[in-house]
Amino acid sequence: MVLSAVFSKPSSSCTEALGRPYKKARIRKNPLPQAKKQHAFQAEFFTETQAFQKNFTEEEATQFIRLHAGTTFKSCVIRTEAEELTVMANRRGEIKTLRRPVKK
């Protein structure tokens, strides 16, 4: 299960894909114990001068990560309970995934 994801290094298609020129995005599991399934994850999207918040279900958060990691944002660090994944894309669009176990 995904605990958090941090997106950075937006590609030139970021504004077209998300509607605003975001510089960074962060998705994390909702820390509130009373959070229901419809608000299981909180997302923050950052432009130069503003921050926007949005709530995601677990399915929506997973879909967003799959769709935008390595494409809309060239760098993404995804943290799960067992490992940390780093998804990177180079200038040619080649996507590379690095996996590292989480130290407990």
Side-chain angles (χ1 to χ4, degrees):
M1 171 188 271
V2 174
L3 299 177
S4 67
V6 178
F7 299 87
S8 59
K9 297 184 182 174
S11 67
S12 57
S13 65
C14 183
T15 303
E16 297 168 11
L18 298 175
R20 286 198 165 100
Y22 294 121
K23 300 292 180 190
K24 183 178 177 181
R26 181 175 37 215
I27 297 175
R28 65 185 175 110
K29 191 167 172 59
N30 196 335
L32 300 175
Q34 70 270 19
K36 298 188 177 167
K37 286 199 175 239
Q38 69 258 21
H39 298 113
F41 286 85
Q42 293 176 334
E44 288 183 291
F45 300 96
F46 301 93
T47 64
E48 280 291 326
T49 58
Q50 294 177 306
F52 299 90
Q53 287 80 30
K54 185 175 180 179
N55 292 320
F56 286 138
T57 63
E58 186 173 353
E59 296 81 26
E60 290 171 335
T62 304
Q63 182 180 2
F64 184 90
I65 292 168
R66 284 188 184 142
L67 184 63
H68 297 290
T71 55
T72 307
F73 292 93
K74 293 181 182 180
S75 178
C76 178
V77 177
I78 304 164
R79 191 169 180 89
T80 66
E81 295 169 344
E83 63 185 352
E84 184 176 280
L85 297 104
T86 304
V87 180
M88 301 176 290
N90 63 15
R91 291 181 183 177
R92 293 179 295 235
E94 298 168 349
I95 298 173
K96 186 176 195 178
T97 303
L98 304 173
R99 296 176 181 269
R100 181 174 39 185
V102 174
K103 296 178 183 176
K104 293 185 181 186

